[in-house]
Amino acid sequence: MFAVHLMAFYFSKLKEDQIKKVDRFLYHMRLSDDTLLDIMRRFRAEMEKGLAKDTNPTAAVKMLPTFVRAIPDGSENGEFLSLDLGGSKFRVLKVQVAEEGKRHVQMESQFYPTPNEIIRGNGTELFEYVADCLADFMKTKDLKHKKLPLGLTFSFPCRQTKLEEGVLLSWTKKFKARGVQDTDVVSRLTKAMRRHKDMDVDILALVNDTVGTMMTCAYDDPYCEVGVIIGTGTNACYMEDMSNIDLVEGDEGRMCINTEWGAFGDDGALEDIRTEFDRELDLGSLNPGKQMFEKMISGLYLGELVRLILLKMAKAGLLFGGEKSSALHTKGKIETRHVAAMEKYKEGLANTREILVDLGLEPSEADCIAVQHVCTIVSFRSANLCAAALAAILTRLRENKKVERLRTTVGVDGTLYKIHPQYPKRLHKVVRKLVPSCDVRFLLSESGSTKGAAMVTAVASRVQAQRKQIDKVLALFRLTREQLVDVQAKMRAELEYGLKKKSHGLATVRMLPTYVCGLPDGTEKGKFLALDLGGTNFRVLLVKIRSGRRSVRMYNKIFAIPLEIMQGTGEELFDHIVQCIADFLDYMGLKGASLPLGFTFSFPCRQMSIDKGTLIGWTKGFKATDCEGEDVVDMLREAIKRRNEFDLDIVAVVNDTVGTMMTCGYEDPNCEIGLIAGTGSNMCYMEDMRNIEMVEGDEGKMCINTEWGGFGDNGCIDDIRTRYDTEVDEGSLNPGKQRYEKMTSGMYLGEIVRQILIDLTKQGLLFRGQISERLRTRGIFETKFLSQIESDRLALLQVRTILQQLGLDSTCEDSIVVKEVCGAVSRRAAQLCGAGLAAIVEKRREDQGLEHLRITVGVDGTLYKLHPHFSRILQETVKELAPRCDVTFMLSEDGSGKGAALITAVAKRLQQAQKEN
């Protein structure tokens, strides 16, 4: 028993001594946690360099865009071919991706050798050999009669400008075929395939093996957004935000970046951690000075590093009694499989002895322990370096997503990772230590990168098909110049109909005289009361106007109008209004004061004088009974009488559009048009009296309230209305009415977007085909969301947040589509508004017989003010359709309040002038 203990003690002492000896000799290969954190920081800086346009040419880590923009979503299906060129064998694969949401893949494959004379010979012969192997595979599998898409896994650094194109930057590993560098490998292979007349294959995607690995794992785990290869070579890829990729145009969505991290350190960034053995290995390699990081990590080099260390230790008399064999002097005699075998848990020492004997050496027990420890240090350093770079990628992903903790999956492939008994465990442990804020799952790629290439091809096919369907829907909202010119001409014709006595009754654009016959001239002064009714809020204002200095001071109070009042009886509505006025007068200390009043009433009215307005029909959700066909001024007077508390001089009833024009006209005498682009849409302008057949007299001008929202109610613009417009119209409070307004105003744009999103989801093109209850709810998609989603400053992550608030669990790709839908709907609205406005300014120019017209348009409305692109597109459209009109757009400061007071002041001034005359 004592002898056994003595032997155990001797062995553990021997082991300890040998380990200490190796540790001293390989001191520089052991990396501390601080060193790893430093390498992590350096790699992050290299990533930044590679992503930026200015620094990319000199960056060692090239960060190549792959043009893979989406990961599998489970809806992929069909038959695909895949080729994998890049390792010791070349593989052809037929992949059948299952349908009906079942994530199931069937594969048939065949390996073909890659002889040295082919991979180091002539480039043309290499591609002809690949095409011949593909033809043989298709013949064997009876596929010659089929047209099939193909994905090519090409595991060498390529610069891509699209998914199906890649220019080889440099060969790595053992490949050295001549005349391929700086050429497009897809067109080279396509040319070689043309020799086989009976083969009909389209190369849809060129992918790197790392990207293939990520896509294979992403098919099984949607959280997978990183791919790592640790095999013959090493590399990593991950999904990067487009906004960070300077080398590719566009900021929307994400794209897979092939880091080509094997070249990390080629610029000297890792010199302080490279050892004499790394330098010696590099000098003896096929590509000296290149792929420095790869040469410290990958399977192609680990065995050789171990050989160089053992040789040096033997020369120093630290191993094998100073004896060396010719095999130990021979490059490539120790391979990574030997390193893996020597590090096996139980049989490692036995394996070590066997391998060393095969090398012609006579190792002692102590030698075997020392050699095993050399292998451990070399492979541990490899795992540490790999972990540091991977930790840098994971940190970047977490910061891109702006989350405290990142949940993600890393897809891994490669012989070193698969066959080395300790490697995965070491890698995982170090990664988790370096990035404690990331919950990382490591997923072994089952079928390697070849299945991945097929998955990229399947995703490309799906995205292509989906894109076609989405574009088909969006095309309905893209108006050509001819269509806009047609809208302009039809609007012009409707304006003329509305002005003529004979056709006025049939016109969809009502062209209502407002009896506002003058613009402010700066002499207006006094105190005025203004009321503003046009939405869910009602305002009462006191406006003080001082002459000479064009100064206006306003005091106002906002009152809510409950839905039951909006849709109750007319008497209840006007009693509520008078109650609000009484509260305001009380609040301002003006109880009993008799003030001139202007009433902004933003609904279509037929006026026979400035203080009389008969309601034609409610819009914007109002439905109060016994009002249509009645004079709203009389109804207000009656309500004031019923209250019997105060008396007011109602001088003018005005539309908010007219108020907008008057407010801007106060600042700019050139302002003769008012435009509202908000909840509703309308326009007014100063028309020559001689053209207004509905009102007697030919002298001077009068403001016409066009009520253009009804344009198209006669079907004249049905050719540009879509099924979504019809859906929105039919579900509205006034079907068949206000068709132009329903295509251009804030109250309806969100609803159009909602209808499109429902349709795209039903087609399986959005939200994984799941329509949430919230999305089914009418009015849920408010127009303010369009403005937020289309904001240039808003990242897709924030778009997703907005959609989540609406109960829509969106992917990155969903967010892009939603943004496109919002853009198409709002762009069409702005263009239609612009075409209508162009009709008015051209009419004014022609009426005045001018070659060139200078005019100002006063504008108000939340859509115009808050939407990031609406105003620009509207202005561009007017410029394009009315090139001989120089139109200035002026934002109105409170047209419906200040404007009503100004109209009242102008009316008072004109009344006074009439009296004096």
Side-chain angles (χ1 to χ4, degrees), residues 484 488 675 830-831 833-839 841-842 855 857 871-889:
L484 289 170
Q488 181 186 7
L675 169 68
Q831 286 179 318
C833 243
L837 189 52
V841 294
E842 269 299 307
I855 196 164
V857 177
S871 56
R872 173 182 54 80
I873 296 164
L874 184 144
Q875 290 172 27
E876 285 169 0
T877 308
V878 173
K879 200 170 186 178
E880 189 183 347
L881 299 182
R884 288 192 280 176
C885 300
D886 184 2
V887 184
T888 303
F889 288 83

PDB file of all heavy atoms in Angstrom, residues 484 488 675 830-831 833-839 841-842 855 857 871-889:
ATOM      1  N   LEU A 484     -50.170  62.561 -61.951  1.00  0.00           N
ATOM      2  CA  LEU A 484     -50.265  63.808 -61.181  1.00  0.00           C
ATOM      3  C   LEU A 484     -50.760  64.956 -62.053  1.00  0.00           C
ATOM      4  O   LEU A 484     -51.565  65.784 -61.616  1.00  0.00           O
ATOM      5  CB  LEU A 484     -48.900  64.154 -60.558  1.00  0.00           C
ATOM      6  CG  LEU A 484     -48.464  63.232 -59.405  1.00  0.00           C
ATOM      7  CD1 LEU A 484     -47.018  63.500 -59.024  1.00  0.00           C
ATOM      8  CD2 LEU A 484     -49.365  63.414 -58.183  1.00  0.00           C
ATOM      9  N   GLN A 488     -54.114  67.145 -61.511  1.00  0.00           N
ATOM     10  CA  GLN A 488     -54.085  68.616 -61.579  1.00  0.00           C
ATOM     11  C   GLN A 488     -55.158  69.122 -62.553  1.00  0.00           C
ATOM     12  O   GLN A 488     -55.925  70.052 -62.235  1.00  0.00           O
ATOM     13  CB  GLN A 488     -52.694  69.070 -62.035  1.00  0.00           C
ATOM     14  CG  GLN A 488     -52.514  70.583 -62.116  1.00  0.00           C
ATOM     15  CD  GLN A 488     -51.153  70.970 -62.705  1.00  0.00           C
ATOM     16  OE1 GLN A 488     -50.400  70.123 -63.160  1.00  0.00           O
ATOM     17  NE2 GLN A 488     -50.846  72.251 -62.691  1.00  0.00           N
ATOM     18  N   LEU A 675     -53.908  76.855 -46.938  1.00  0.00           N
ATOM     19  CA  LEU A 675     -53.933  75.398 -47.076  1.00  0.00           C
ATOM     20  C   LEU A 675     -53.916  74.766 -45.686  1.00  0.00           C
ATOM     21  O   LEU A 675     -53.130  75.152 -44.829  1.00  0.00           O
ATOM     22  CB  LEU A 675     -52.695  74.920 -47.855  1.00  0.00           C
ATOM     23  CG  LEU A 675     -52.417  73.411 -47.878  1.00  0.00           C
ATOM     24  CD1 LEU A 675     -53.470  72.666 -48.676  1.00  0.00           C
ATOM     25  CD2 LEU A 675     -51.035  73.113 -48.456  1.00  0.00           C
ATOM     26  N   ALA A 830     -48.917  63.631 -49.974  1.00  0.00           N
ATOM     27  CA  ALA A 830     -48.252  64.925 -50.231  1.00  0.00           C
ATOM     28  C   ALA A 830     -48.288  65.265 -51.717  1.00  0.00           C
ATOM     29  O   ALA A 830     -48.498  66.420 -52.099  1.00  0.00           O
ATOM     30  CB  ALA A 830     -46.813  64.872 -49.724  1.00  0.00           C
ATOM     31  N   GLN A 831     -48.108  64.252 -52.576  1.00  0.00           N
ATOM     32  CA  GLN A 831     -48.125  64.500 -54.032  1.00  0.00           C
ATOM     33  C   GLN A 831     -49.520  64.907 -54.512  1.00  0.00           C
ATOM     34  O   GLN A 831     -49.664  65.807 -55.337  1.00  0.00           O
ATOM     35  CB  GLN A 831     -47.660  63.237 -54.776  1.00  0.00           C
ATOM     36  CG  GLN A 831     -46.164  63.009 -54.675  1.00  0.00           C
ATOM     37  CD  GLN A 831     -45.741  61.743 -55.406  1.00  0.00           C
ATOM     38  OE1 GLN A 831     -46.407  60.714 -55.323  1.00  0.00           O
ATOM     39  NE2 GLN A 831     -44.634  61.806 -56.118  1.00  0.00           N
ATOM     40  N   CYS A 833     -51.847  66.342 -52.692  1.00  0.00           N
ATOM     41  CA  CYS A 833     -52.046  67.706 -52.183  1.00  0.00           C
ATOM     42  C   CYS A 833     -51.336  68.707 -53.091  1.00  0.00           C
ATOM     43  O   CYS A 833     -51.883  69.763 -53.428  1.00  0.00           O
ATOM     44  CB  CYS A 833     -51.438  67.791 -50.785  1.00  0.00           C
ATOM     45  SG  CYS A 833     -52.655  68.139 -49.541  1.00  0.00           S
ATOM     46  N   GLY A 834     -50.113  68.351 -53.469  1.00  0.00           N
ATOM     47  CA  GLY A 834     -49.316  69.226 -54.346  1.00  0.00           C
ATOM     48  C   GLY A 834     -49.959  69.416 -55.705  1.00  0.00           C
ATOM     49  O   GLY A 834     -49.953  70.519 -56.264  1.00  0.00           O
ATOM     50  N   ALA A 835     -50.541  68.330 -56.253  1.00  0.00           N
ATOM     51  CA  ALA A 835     -51.198  68.421 -57.574  1.00  0.00           C
ATOM     52  C   ALA A 835     -52.413  69.334 -57.500  1.00  0.00           C
ATOM     53  O   ALA A 835     -52.667  70.152 -58.402  1.00  0.00           O
ATOM     54  CB  ALA A 835     -51.597  67.028 -58.049  1.00  0.00           C
ATOM     55  N   GLY A 836     -53.196  69.223 -56.382  1.00  0.00           N
ATOM     56  CA  GLY A 836     -54.369  70.097 -56.204  1.00  0.00           C
ATOM     57  C   GLY A 836     -53.955  71.544 -56.088  1.00  0.00           C
ATOM     58  O   GLY A 836     -54.570  72.444 -56.701  1.00  0.00           O
ATOM     59  N   LEU A 837     -52.886  71.798 -55.324  1.00  0.00           N
ATOM     60  CA  LEU A 837     -52.417  73.173 -55.130  1.00  0.00           C
ATOM     61  C   LEU A 837     -51.854  73.757 -56.432  1.00  0.00           C
ATOM     62  O   LEU A 837     -52.056  74.943 -56.737  1.00  0.00           O
ATOM     63  CB  LEU A 837     -51.343  73.183 -54.028  1.00  0.00           C
ATOM     64  CG  LEU A 837     -50.872  74.546 -53.532  1.00  0.00           C
ATOM     65  CD1 LEU A 837     -52.032  75.441 -53.112  1.00  0.00           C
ATOM     66  CD2 LEU A 837     -49.910  74.376 -52.354  1.00  0.00           C
ATOM     67  N   ALA A 838     -51.181  72.892 -57.209  1.00  0.00           N
ATOM     68  CA  ALA A 838     -50.639  73.340 -58.501  1.00  0.00           C
ATOM     69  C   ALA A 838     -51.771  73.812 -59.424  1.00  0.00           C
ATOM     70  O   ALA A 838     -51.613  74.779 -60.183  1.00  0.00           O
ATOM     71  CB  ALA A 838     -49.853  72.206 -59.155  1.00  0.00           C
ATOM     72  N   ALA A 839     -52.931  73.139 -59.338  1.00  0.00           N
ATOM     73  CA  ALA A 839     -54.083  73.543 -60.168  1.00  0.00           C
ATOM     74  C   ALA A 839     -54.525  74.957 -59.800  1.00  0.00           C
ATOM     75  O   ALA A 839     -54.839  75.773 -60.669  1.00  0.00           O
ATOM     76  CB  ALA A 839     -55.237  72.557 -59.957  1.00  0.00           C
ATOM     77  N   VAL A 841     -52.661  77.467 -58.234  1.00  0.00           N
ATOM     78  CA  VAL A 841     -51.696  78.543 -58.550  1.00  0.00           C
ATOM     79  C   VAL A 841     -51.630  78.792 -60.055  1.00  0.00           C
ATOM     80  O   VAL A 841     -51.506  79.939 -60.495  1.00  0.00           O
ATOM     81  CB  VAL A 841     -50.282  78.271 -57.949  1.00  0.00           C
ATOM     82  CG1 VAL A 841     -50.319  78.312 -56.441  1.00  0.00           C
ATOM     83  CG2 VAL A 841     -49.670  76.967 -58.417  1.00  0.00           C
ATOM     84  N   GLU A 842     -51.759  77.708 -60.839  1.00  0.00           N
ATOM     85  CA  GLU A 842     -51.771  77.883 -62.299  1.00  0.00           C
ATOM     86  C   GLU A 842     -53.018  78.667 -62.732  1.00  0.00           C
ATOM     87  O   GLU A 842     -52.948  79.525 -63.622  1.00  0.00           O
ATOM     88  CB  GLU A 842     -51.753  76.507 -62.991  1.00  0.00           C
ATOM     89  CG  GLU A 842     -50.364  75.989 -63.301  1.00  0.00           C
ATOM     90  CD  GLU A 842     -49.587  76.894 -64.253  1.00  0.00           C
ATOM     91  OE1 GLU A 842     -50.094  77.225 -65.346  1.00  0.00           O
ATOM     92  OE2 GLU A 842     -48.470  77.308 -63.890  1.00  0.00           O
ATOM     93  N   ILE A 855     -46.434  84.104 -55.496  1.00  0.00           N
ATOM     94  CA  ILE A 855     -47.564  84.035 -54.557  1.00  0.00           C
ATOM     95  C   ILE A 855     -47.145  83.300 -53.286  1.00  0.00           C
ATOM     96  O   ILE A 855     -46.238  82.465 -53.316  1.00  0.00           O
ATOM     97  CB  ILE A 855     -48.785  83.341 -55.230  1.00  0.00           C
ATOM     98  CG1 ILE A 855     -50.071  83.612 -54.441  1.00  0.00           C
ATOM     99  CG2 ILE A 855     -48.550  81.847 -55.416  1.00  0.00           C
ATOM    100  CD1 ILE A 855     -51.331  83.304 -55.237  1.00  0.00           C
ATOM    101  N   VAL A 857     -48.403  80.930 -49.976  1.00  0.00           N
ATOM    102  CA  VAL A 857     -49.443  80.035 -49.459  1.00  0.00           C
ATOM    103  C   VAL A 857     -49.264  79.950 -47.943  1.00  0.00           C
ATOM    104  O   VAL A 857     -48.192  79.590 -47.448  1.00  0.00           O
ATOM    105  CB  VAL A 857     -49.317  78.618 -50.068  1.00  0.00           C
ATOM    106  CG1 VAL A 857     -50.366  77.678 -49.473  1.00  0.00           C
ATOM    107  CG2 VAL A 857     -49.457  78.665 -51.580  1.00  0.00           C
ATOM    108  N   SER A 871     -44.053  68.105 -46.093  1.00  0.00           N
ATOM    109  CA  SER A 871     -43.947  69.478 -46.619  1.00  0.00           C
ATOM    110  C   SER A 871     -42.996  69.530 -47.806  1.00  0.00           C
ATOM    111  O   SER A 871     -43.268  70.181 -48.817  1.00  0.00           O
ATOM    112  CB  SER A 871     -43.479  70.439 -45.527  1.00  0.00           C
ATOM    113  OG  SER A 871     -42.252  70.006 -44.980  1.00  0.00           O
ATOM    114  N   ARG A 872     -41.860  68.799 -47.709  1.00  0.00           N
ATOM    115  CA  ARG A 872     -40.870  68.837 -48.802  1.00  0.00           C
ATOM    116  C   ARG A 872     -41.459  68.238 -50.085  1.00  0.00           C
ATOM    117  O   ARG A 872     -41.336  68.822 -51.170  1.00  0.00           O
ATOM    118  CB  ARG A 872     -39.615  68.061 -48.380  1.00  0.00           C
ATOM    119  CG  ARG A 872     -38.587  67.900 -49.487  1.00  0.00           C
ATOM    120  CD  ARG A 872     -37.383  67.077 -49.038  1.00  0.00           C
ATOM    121  NE  ARG A 872     -37.737  65.787 -48.484  1.00  0.00           N
ATOM    122  CZ  ARG A 872     -38.045  64.705 -49.220  1.00  0.00           C
ATOM    123  NH1 ARG A 872     -38.071  64.791 -50.540  1.00  0.00           N
ATOM    124  NH2 ARG A 872     -38.329  63.554 -48.643  1.00  0.00           N
ATOM    125  N   ILE A 873     -42.130  67.087 -49.951  1.00  0.00           N
ATOM    126  CA  ILE A 873     -42.682  66.415 -51.142  1.00  0.00           C
ATOM    127  C   ILE A 873     -43.784  67.267 -51.767  1.00  0.00           C
ATOM    128  O   ILE A 873     -43.861  67.411 -52.993  1.00  0.00           O
ATOM    129  CB  ILE A 873     -43.197  64.995 -50.782  1.00  0.00           C
ATOM    130  CG1 ILE A 873     -42.020  64.122 -50.324  1.00  0.00           C
ATOM    131  CG2 ILE A 873     -43.914  64.351 -51.952  1.00  0.00           C
ATOM    132  CD1 ILE A 873     -42.415  62.855 -49.584  1.00  0.00           C
ATOM    133  N   LEU A 874     -44.636  67.868 -50.922  1.00  0.00           N
ATOM    134  CA  LEU A 874     -45.702  68.739 -51.421  1.00  0.00           C
ATOM    135  C   LEU A 874     -45.102  69.897 -52.222  1.00  0.00           C
ATOM    136  O   LEU A 874     -45.532  70.201 -53.342  1.00  0.00           O
ATOM    137  CB  LEU A 874     -46.526  69.268 -50.245  1.00  0.00           C
ATOM    138  CG  LEU A 874     -47.750  70.121 -50.596  1.00  0.00           C
ATOM    139  CD1 LEU A 874     -48.872  69.841 -49.617  1.00  0.00           C
ATOM    140  CD2 LEU A 874     -47.463  71.602 -50.574  1.00  0.00           C
ATOM    141  N   GLN A 875     -44.086  70.548 -51.657  1.00  0.00           N
ATOM    142  CA  GLN A 875     -43.455  71.695 -52.321  1.00  0.00           C
ATOM    143  C   GLN A 875     -42.787  71.285 -53.642  1.00  0.00           C
ATOM    144  O   GLN A 875     -42.906  71.982 -54.649  1.00  0.00           O
ATOM    145  CB  GLN A 875     -42.431  72.346 -51.388  1.00  0.00           C
ATOM    146  CG  GLN A 875     -43.079  73.065 -50.204  1.00  0.00           C
ATOM    147  CD  GLN A 875     -42.067  73.543 -49.179  1.00  0.00           C
ATOM    148  OE1 GLN A 875     -40.924  73.808 -49.488  1.00  0.00           O
ATOM    149  NE2 GLN A 875     -42.504  73.637 -47.928  1.00  0.00           N
ATOM    150  N   GLU A 876     -42.111  70.119 -53.625  1.00  0.00           N
ATOM    151  CA  GLU A 876     -41.459  69.632 -54.857  1.00  0.00           C
ATOM    152  C   GLU A 876     -42.495  69.370 -55.949  1.00  0.00           C
ATOM    153  O   GLU A 876     -42.262  69.656 -57.126  1.00  0.00           O
ATOM    154  CB  GLU A 876     -40.686  68.337 -54.568  1.00  0.00           C
ATOM    155  CG  GLU A 876     -39.382  68.558 -53.821  1.00  0.00           C
ATOM    156  CD  GLU A 876     -38.775  67.250 -53.311  1.00  0.00           C
ATOM    157  OE1 GLU A 876     -39.376  66.166 -53.547  1.00  0.00           O
ATOM    158  OE2 GLU A 876     -37.709  67.312 -52.665  1.00  0.00           O
ATOM    159  N   THR A 877     -43.652  68.821 -55.548  1.00  0.00           N
ATOM    160  CA  THR A 877     -44.705  68.494 -56.529  1.00  0.00           C
ATOM    161  C   THR A 877     -45.261  69.772 -57.159  1.00  0.00           C
ATOM    162  O   THR A 877     -45.461  69.833 -58.379  1.00  0.00           O
ATOM    163  CB  THR A 877     -45.835  67.681 -55.851  1.00  0.00           C
ATOM    164  OG1 THR A 877     -45.255  66.567 -55.168  1.00  0.00           O
ATOM    165  CG2 THR A 877     -46.837  67.179 -56.856  1.00  0.00           C
ATOM    166  N   VAL A 878     -45.509  70.794 -56.327  1.00  0.00           N
ATOM    167  CA  VAL A 878     -46.031  72.072 -56.845  1.00  0.00           C
ATOM    168  C   VAL A 878     -45.025  72.669 -57.832  1.00  0.00           C
ATOM    169  O   VAL A 878     -45.402  73.133 -58.923  1.00  0.00           O
ATOM    170  CB  VAL A 878     -46.322  73.063 -55.690  1.00  0.00           C
ATOM    171  CG1 VAL A 878     -46.689  74.440 -56.240  1.00  0.00           C
ATOM    172  CG2 VAL A 878     -47.446  72.534 -54.803  1.00  0.00           C
ATOM    173  N   LYS A 879     -43.753  72.624 -57.473  1.00  0.00           N
ATOM    174  CA  LYS A 879     -42.698  73.200 -58.327  1.00  0.00           C
ATOM    175  C   LYS A 879     -42.640  72.495 -59.679  1.00  0.00           C
ATOM    176  O   LYS A 879     -42.480  73.109 -60.729  1.00  0.00           O
ATOM    177  CB  LYS A 879     -41.343  73.060 -57.607  1.00  0.00           C
ATOM    178  CG  LYS A 879     -40.279  73.994 -58.120  1.00  0.00           C
ATOM    179  CD  LYS A 879     -39.070  73.965 -57.204  1.00  0.00           C
ATOM    180  CE  LYS A 879     -38.052  75.005 -57.632  1.00  0.00           C
ATOM    181  NZ  LYS A 879     -36.886  75.022 -56.738  1.00  0.00           N
ATOM    182  N   GLU A 880     -42.804  71.156 -59.626  1.00  0.00           N
ATOM    183  CA  GLU A 880     -42.727  70.361 -60.857  1.00  0.00           C
ATOM    184  C   GLU A 880     -43.948  70.589 -61.755  1.00  0.00           C
ATOM    185  O   GLU A 880     -43.829  70.678 -62.973  1.00  0.00           O
ATOM    186  CB  GLU A 880     -42.612  68.875 -60.490  1.00  0.00           C
ATOM    187  CG  GLU A 880     -42.301  68.000 -61.688  1.00  0.00           C
ATOM    188  CD  GLU A 880     -42.264  66.509 -61.356  1.00  0.00           C
ATOM    189  OE1 GLU A 880     -42.242  66.153 -60.155  1.00  0.00           O
ATOM    190  OE2 GLU A 880     -42.273  65.719 -62.304  1.00  0.00           O
ATOM    191  N   LEU A 881     -45.151  70.695 -61.143  1.00  0.00           N
ATOM    192  CA  LEU A 881     -46.382  70.791 -61.937  1.00  0.00           C
ATOM    193  C   LEU A 881     -46.755  72.234 -62.303  1.00  0.00           C
ATOM    194  O   LEU A 881     -47.563  72.457 -63.198  1.00  0.00           O
ATOM    195  CB  LEU A 881     -47.542  70.132 -61.184  1.00  0.00           C
ATOM    196  CG  LEU A 881     -47.392  68.632 -60.858  1.00  0.00           C
ATOM    197  CD1 LEU A 881     -48.626  68.116 -60.150  1.00  0.00           C
ATOM    198  CD2 LEU A 881     -47.144  67.811 -62.123  1.00  0.00           C
ATOM    199  N   ALA A 882     -46.201  73.216 -61.579  1.00  0.00           N
ATOM    200  CA  ALA A 882     -46.484  74.626 -61.897  1.00  0.00           C
ATOM    201  C   ALA A 882     -45.151  75.383 -61.961  1.00  0.00           C
ATOM    202  O   ALA A 882     -44.845  76.220 -61.110  1.00  0.00           O
ATOM    203  CB  ALA A 882     -47.400  75.228 -60.840  1.00  0.00           C
ATOM    204  N   PRO A 883     -44.326  75.070 -62.977  1.00  0.00           N
ATOM    205  CA  PRO A 883     -42.965  75.631 -63.024  1.00  0.00           C
ATOM    206  C   PRO A 883     -42.920  77.154 -63.195  1.00  0.00           C
ATOM    207  O   PRO A 883     -41.907  77.778 -62.873  1.00  0.00           O
ATOM    208  CB  PRO A 883     -42.321  74.920 -64.216  1.00  0.00           C
ATOM    209  CG  PRO A 883     -43.465  74.423 -65.044  1.00  0.00           C
ATOM    210  CD  PRO A 883     -44.594  74.180 -64.120  1.00  0.00           C
ATOM    211  N   ARG A 884     -44.043  77.746 -63.687  1.00  0.00           N
ATOM    212  CA  ARG A 884     -44.025  79.215 -63.904  1.00  0.00           C
ATOM    213  C   ARG A 884     -44.590  79.987 -62.706  1.00  0.00           C
ATOM    214  O   ARG A 884     -44.861  81.170 -62.797  1.00  0.00           O
ATOM    215  CB  ARG A 884     -44.795  79.556 -65.182  1.00  0.00           C
ATOM    216  CG  ARG A 884     -44.000  79.120 -66.432  1.00  0.00           C
ATOM    217  CD  ARG A 884     -44.580  79.683 -67.701  1.00  0.00           C
ATOM    218  NE  ARG A 884     -45.735  78.925 -68.162  1.00  0.00           N
ATOM    219  CZ  ARG A 884     -46.472  79.251 -69.214  1.00  0.00           C
ATOM    220  NH1 ARG A 884     -46.194  80.352 -69.891  1.00  0.00           N
ATOM    221  NH2 ARG A 884     -47.489  78.508 -69.575  1.00  0.00           N
ATOM    222  N   CYS A 885     -44.745  79.277 -61.610  1.00  0.00           N
ATOM    223  CA  CYS A 885     -45.234  79.929 -60.387  1.00  0.00           C
ATOM    224  C   CYS A 885     -44.172  79.822 -59.301  1.00  0.00           C
ATOM    225  O   CYS A 885     -43.696  78.721 -59.004  1.00  0.00           O
ATOM    226  CB  CYS A 885     -46.524  79.273 -59.904  1.00  0.00           C
ATOM    227  SG  CYS A 885     -47.861  79.370 -61.118  1.00  0.00           S
ATOM    228  N   ASP A 886     -43.813  80.966 -58.770  1.00  0.00           N
ATOM    229  CA  ASP A 886     -42.831  80.997 -57.683  1.00  0.00           C
ATOM    230  C   ASP A 886     -43.615  81.022 -56.367  1.00  0.00           C
ATOM    231  O   ASP A 886     -44.116  82.067 -55.951  1.00  0.00           O
ATOM    232  CB  ASP A 886     -41.955  82.250 -57.861  1.00  0.00           C
ATOM    233  CG  ASP A 886     -40.851  82.305 -56.826  1.00  0.00           C
ATOM    234  OD1 ASP A 886     -40.764  81.362 -56.030  1.00  0.00           O
ATOM    235  OD2 ASP A 886     -40.089  83.295 -56.809  1.00  0.00           O
ATOM    236  N   VAL A 887     -43.754  79.857 -55.733  1.00  0.00           N
ATOM    237  CA  VAL A 887     -44.634  79.722 -54.565  1.00  0.00           C
ATOM    238  C   VAL A 887     -43.814  79.701 -53.271  1.00  0.00           C
ATOM    239  O   VAL A 887     -42.898  78.903 -53.118  1.00  0.00           O
ATOM    240  CB  VAL A 887     -45.486  78.434 -54.654  1.00  0.00           C
ATOM    241  CG1 VAL A 887     -46.463  78.352 -53.492  1.00  0.00           C
ATOM    242  CG2 VAL A 887     -46.233  78.378 -55.982  1.00  0.00           C
ATOM    243  N   THR A 888     -44.164  80.627 -52.359  1.00  0.00           N
ATOM    244  CA  THR A 888     -43.547  80.638 -51.022  1.00  0.00           C
ATOM    245  C   THR A 888     -44.533  80.028 -50.043  1.00  0.00           C
ATOM    246  O   THR A 888     -45.727  80.339 -50.081  1.00  0.00           O
ATOM    247  CB  THR A 888     -43.224  82.090 -50.598  1.00  0.00           C
ATOM    248  OG1 THR A 888     -42.383  82.664 -51.593  1.00  0.00           O
ATOM    249  CG2 THR A 888     -42.533  82.135 -49.248  1.00  0.00           C
ATOM    250  N   PHE A 889     -44.033  79.146 -49.191  1.00  0.00           N
ATOM    251  CA  PHE A 889     -44.897  78.520 -48.182  1.00  0.00           C
ATOM    252  C   PHE A 889     -44.602  79.158 -46.828  1.00  0.00           C
ATOM    253  O   PHE A 889     -43.452  79.249 -46.423  1.00  0.00           O
ATOM    254  CB  PHE A 889     -44.646  77.017 -48.121  1.00  0.00           C
ATOM    255  CG  PHE A 889     -45.184  76.293 -49.327  1.00  0.00           C
ATOM    256  CD1 PHE A 889     -44.444  76.226 -50.508  1.00  0.00           C
ATOM    257  CD2 PHE A 889     -46.440  75.695 -49.299  1.00  0.00           C
ATOM    258  CE1 PHE A 889     -44.944  75.581 -51.629  1.00  0.00           C
ATOM    259  CE2 PHE A 889     -46.939  75.038 -50.417  1.00  0.00           C
ATOM    260  CZ  PHE A 889     -46.193  74.987 -51.586  1.00  0.00           C
TER     261      PHE A 889
END
